Amino acid sequence: MPSMRSVGYRQVWAWLRGEYDYDEMAERGRAATRQLAKRQITWLRSEANCYWLNATADPVQEALSVIEAALASATTQG
């Protein structure tokens, strides 16, 4: 099943088969998660209309500001 190829599943299955201990499984799961995040960031950087939100601030308010600005721009152009 495709869902079984999700991040972390391979590591858990290998652990259940006894290929490595729990700590190794957890570390491999974290490494796989980091690799996926890096691939996603690389892909997102190539997107022309991608907005990066500051997660340390108020991301909801920041997102609303971006949406409001886009709507204001669309109404003045249309």
Side-chain angles (χ1 to χ4, degrees), residues 10-23 25:
R10 289 182 189 153
Q11 293 77 21
V12 170
W13 285 114
W15 171 65
L16 290 172
R17 288 190 302 266
E19 294 177 20
Y20 36 77
D21 64 15
Y22 180 85
D23 291 334
M25 179 266 304

Side-chain angles (χ1 to χ4, degrees), residues 51-63 66:
Y51 295 94
W52 294 89
L53 303 178
N54 183 357
T56 60
D58 182 0
V60 173
Q61 185 58 47
E62 193 172 345
V66 169

Side-chain angles (χ1 to χ4, degrees), residues 2-37:
S3 61
M4 294 300 155
R5 292 191 309 252
S6 298
V7 172
Y9 275 87
R10 289 182 189 153
Q11 293 77 21
V12 170
W13 285 114
W15 171 65
L16 290 172
R17 288 190 302 266
E19 294 177 20
Y20 36 77
D21 64 15
Y22 180 85
D23 291 334
E24 179 72 14
M25 179 266 304
E27 180 54 38
R28 287 179 182 231
R30 285 190 290 272
T33 300
R34 282 191 301 273
Q35 290 170 350
L36 174 61

